[in-house]
Amino acid sequence: MSLEMLEKLEAKVQMAVDTISLLQMEVEELKEKNDALASEAQELRAGRETLEQDNAKMRNDHQAWQERVRNLLGKMDSVE
């Protein structure tokens, strides 16, 4: 093999090594972003569950108050 061919081969190998290194860094960045997004998604799910529980409690409280008001109105009607 000639020296020129070896130099071309060396350049191609170096370019391949550089590309692999860049791709590995990109993969690591994407893994970090994925982990951050997964964590954010978990927090959002937990927040949604809390809101759903609060909503259910408020609906129950609302129904209880409505029942109390109906009972009081019924008592007022029976007094008249």
Side-chain angles (χ1 to χ4, degrees):
M1 255 201 223
S2 71
L3 184 59
E4 185 180 318
M5 288 180 75
L6 283 174
E7 288 174 354
K8 285 182 180 180
L9 180 59
E10 182 181 6
K12 286 183 180 183
V13 168
Q14 186 59 49
M15 195 174 0
V17 168
D18 293 343
T19 301
I20 289 169
S21 295
L22 288 173
L23 289 172
Q24 285 174 334
M25 288 190 295
E26 187 177 341
V27 165
E28 286 303 314
E29 288 176 14
L30 291 172
K31 283 180 182 179
E32 289 173 8
K33 285 181 183 179
N34 189 40
D35 290 344
L37 288 172
S39 191
E40 182 181 350
Q42 180 59 37
E43 290 173 11
L44 290 172
R45 279 192 289 273
R48 186 192 73 223
E49 289 173 8
T50 300
L51 288 174
E52 287 173 348
Q53 290 170 356
D54 291 347
N55 188 7
K57 183 184 180 308
M58 287 183 180
R59 286 180 189 271
N60 289 336
D61 290 349
H62 182 255
Q63 288 176 345
W65 277 101
Q66 281 183 328
E67 189 61 32
R68 289 178 72 184
V69 168
R70 279 192 206 102
N71 288 338
L72 289 172
L73 289 174
K75 288 179 181 179
M76 288 175 63
D77 285 343
S78 66
V79 170
E80 294 177 15

